Amino acid sequence: MASTADEPEQPLDRTGEAPSVDPSSEDRNHALKAVSAFEQAYGAKFPKAVKKVTDDVDELLAFYDFPAEHWIHLRTTNPIESTFATVRLRTKVAKGAGGSAAAALAMVFKLVESAQARWRAVNAPHLVALVRAGARFERGHLVAPPSPASHEARAG
């Protein structure tokens, strides 16, 4: 049977939009439900793409194990992309000029060093020490402070 304008080709959620994996879900459980809905909606039509999401769901949602204040930094690759876009632009221009590998490395170092002046600071920097010490976070909130044993293991 041919699809008409009144019959959508893909399942819609209650808002009339196709379900998607929402990276701004309030917690891991909501995100897992979104992944499940995504799998049901698109699994038959795009099995390889859905498999990419479902196979790596633990890594995809790992940011929920960190402080909520840090989620914005963990969910984006833009700082990496913008830094290397600057480096890529300059190295393409310099490629034709010849030069040594050491000169190219020095140029890349200086470009990244200059770019870091424009980087955004981490939200709640005081929580970085807790994360590094092994504190456990759930739903973005501290649930278990670092134990002395985990701190000693990291130091040693």
Side-chain angles (χ1 to χ4, degrees), residues 7-80:
E7 297 174 10
E9 288 185 18
Q10 48 193 324
L12 302 178
D13 67 8
R14 62 192 140 111
T15 64
E17 296 178 0
S20 65
V21 178
D22 182 10
S24 62
S25 294
E26 66 185 65
D27 62 26
R28 183 182 297 271
N29 291 334
H30 284 90
L32 287 171
K33 287 178 186 172
V35 168
S36 179
F38 179 78
E39 182 177 18
Q40 289 176 359
Y42 298 107
K45 194 169 185 178
F46 306 106
K48 288 182 181 178
V50 169
K51 188 174 178 357
K52 291 280 187 191
V53 173
T54 57
D55 284 356
D56 296 329
V57 75
D58 290 334
E59 289 83 4
L60 181 66
L61 303 179
F63 69 89
Y64 285 113
D65 298 332
F66 293 90
E69 294 87 348
H70 294 176
W71 290 358
I72 192 167
H73 304 291
L74 299 173
R75 289 190 302 209
T76 182
T77 59
N78 191 45
I80 296 167

Side-chain angles (χ1 to χ4, degrees), residues 80-95 107-108 111:
I80 296 167
E81 292 166 3
S82 18
T83 298
F84 286 107
T86 301
V87 171
R88 191 178 323 109
L89 177 68
R90 301 302 188 283
T91 53
K92 279 185 181 178
V93 171
K95 232 181 208 178
M107 180 183 69
V108 168
L111 286 169

